[in-house]
Amino acid sequence: MKISRRAFVHLAAGSAALPVVSSGAFAQAYPSKPARILVGFPAGGATDIQARLAAEWLTERLGQQFIVENKPGASGNIATDTVAKAAPDGYTLLQVVTPHAINSALYSNLGFDFMRDIAPVICAARLAYVVVVNPSVPANTLPEFIAYAKANPGKINYGSAGQGTPQNIACELFKMMTGVNLVHVPYKGGAPAVADLISGHVQVVFAPLSESIQQVKAGKLRALAVTTRARLDVLPDVPPVAEFVPGYEASGFAGIGVPKGTPAGIIELLNKELNAGLANPRIRNRIVELGGTPLGGTPAEFGVILAEATDKWAKVIKAAGIKAE
């Protein structure tokens, strides 16, 4: 049966409009059942707490339960693989953090491509690391520490949460840009590294603010610098590394992603509500307490952050010869 040109144009126009209508209708009905936010790290840490803040806010605003589900292991890759292969319907979300920008260069044969398979929703916060030393180290400023390290090559140990973690890579970037020779001592987590720093088994750690600020305030550790471009309100007297090492920056991030192919209307709704949450003083203050700077913005802006971080850390990993444990 032949179809007239006029009828064909009419049918084609109608079919082209269908995905938009379906997406809009889907977004209007969303959420109609509980959703989950997967966290690739254990419960109780800063990553988990930030996810729970988002879940609590979305539950209040959207009238359905958003439940945090912890799937720790392989530096977040187990949770990422689950989300990447989940139905793109807005009911499976991922807490996206700095290791996601590192893992593609660190691990081979992953069952997913993070930049391809996870769609960004929002970058909720920028996260700071603090260069902290044991009080026995004869350095009160970062330039003094650099001079001390250059006078003692290979004799100063730095701890991290493990091979290929943000703390490890942040310090390796510091080594490249300053020419110091520090020996890496990897631990199974950030807390043991900080504990050994306090006891003097290692001399320096590029520690997440959430894992070190109380020890700094108690005088158990000495803060020499922060890795962000600007000073932090919670440590106003501690300068950025970049004041002494021009161009250095090693901040992390925390945000939300969803499986690629999730309807645009759902991503826009989640982004809108999470931006509203970041304007709430209670949530903003809690993020600051966890060592973050509330950010927000569009999905596209988070996409740029992820792309830039992925490219940057891949270069450091290659130059430093870092291998996954």
Side-chain angles (χ1 to χ4, degrees), residues 3 13 15 24 26 34 65 85 98 109 119 139 151 161-162 165 168 192 203 206 213 242 279-280 283-284 302 307 319:
I3 301 177
S15 63
F26 196 2
Q65 285 288 321
K85 295 173 181 175
T98 314
N109 301 319
T165 58
N168 171 213
Q203 286 72 53
F206 281 55
I213 189 168
N280 180 281
I283 291 179
R284 291 183 66 86
F302 190 21

Side-chain angles (χ1 to χ4, degrees), residues 11 13 15 39 42-43 48 57-59 85 100 114-115 120 136 138 171 177 185 192 198 201 209 220 233 255 293 309:
L11 287 170
S15 63
V39 177
D48 174 69
W57 180 260
L58 290 173
T59 297
K85 295 173 181 175
H100 291 105
F114 179 78
M115 293 300 293
S136 65
C171 193
M177 296 182 71
V185 180
I198 293 171
H201 295 299
L209 183 63
K220 295 179 180 180
D233 291 341
T293 300

Side-chain angles (χ1 to χ4, degrees), residues 7-17:
F8 176 80
V9 170
H10 178 74
L11 287 170
S15 63

Side-chain angles (χ1 to χ4, degrees), residues 154-287:
K155 297 180 181 179
I156 299 172
N157 297 327
Y158 82 88
S160 82
Q163 192 83 352
T165 58
Q167 299 96 311
N168 171 213
I169 295 175
C171 193
E172 290 298 324
L173 177 62
F174 176 78
K175 288 170 58 178
M176 291 177 194
M177 296 182 71
T178 59
V180 299
N181 180 5
L182 307 176
V183 178
H184 182 209
V185 180
Y187 290 83
K188 292 186 180 297
V194 171
D196 261 14
L197 178 63
I198 293 171
S199 62
H201 295 299
V202 294
Q203 286 72 53
V204 61
V205 172
F206 281 55
L209 183 63
S210 60
E211 295 177 359
S212 57
I213 189 168
Q214 296 306 320
Q215 290 83 355
V216 169
K217 290 182 175 180
K220 295 179 180 180
L221 296 175
R222 182 184 301 136
L224 301 183
V226 294
T227 63
T228 45
R229 289 191 178 94
R231 295 187 182 227
L232 303 175
D233 291 341
V234 292
L235 289 174
D237 297 328
V238 181
V241 173
E243 285 192 15
F244 313 106
V245 185
Y248 182 91
E249 193 274 339
S251 64
F253 54 79
I256 294 292
V258 291
K260 200 75 172 179
T262 299
I266 290 177
I267 292 176
E268 290 166 6
L269 176 63
L270 291 169
N271 177 268
K272 174 186 173 183
E273 295 300 345
L274 289 168
N275 269 308
L278 291 170
N280 180 281
R282 176 178 62 84
I283 291 179
R284 291 183 66 86
N285 291 339
R286 188 67 178 114
I287 288 174

Side-chain angles (χ1 to χ4, degrees), residues 291-305:
T293 300
L295 193 58
T298 67
E301 288 169 339
F302 190 21
V304 171
I305 290 171

Side-chain angles (χ1 to χ4, degrees), residues 77-185:
N77 286 326
I78 294 174
T80 307
D81 184 68
T82 301
V83 176
K85 295 173 181 175
D89 55 9
Y91 292 98
T92 306
L93 287 65
L94 178 68
Q95 177 75 357
V96 178
V97 286
T98 314
H100 291 105
I102 295 171
N103 289 344
S104 59
L106 195 63
Y107 293 90
S108 59
N109 301 319
L110 289 172
F112 59 87
D113 181 319
F114 179 78
M115 293 300 293
R116 180 196 67 203
D117 297 333
I118 301 296
V121 173
I122 190 171
C123 185
R126 277 290 192 180
L127 306 176
Y129 301 94
V130 187
V131 183
V132 284
V133 296
N134 183 281
S136 65
V137 173
N140 291 307
T141 67
L142 192 65
E144 288 177 358
F145 176 77
I146 293 171
Y148 175 66
K150 287 185 175 180
N152 296 274
K155 297 180 181 179
I156 299 172
N157 297 327
Y158 82 88
S160 82
Q163 192 83 352
T165 58
Q167 299 96 311
N168 171 213
I169 295 175
C171 193
E172 290 298 324
L173 177 62
F174 176 78
K175 288 170 58 178
M176 291 177 194
M177 296 182 71
T178 59
V180 299
N181 180 5
L182 307 176
V183 178
H184 182 209
V185 180

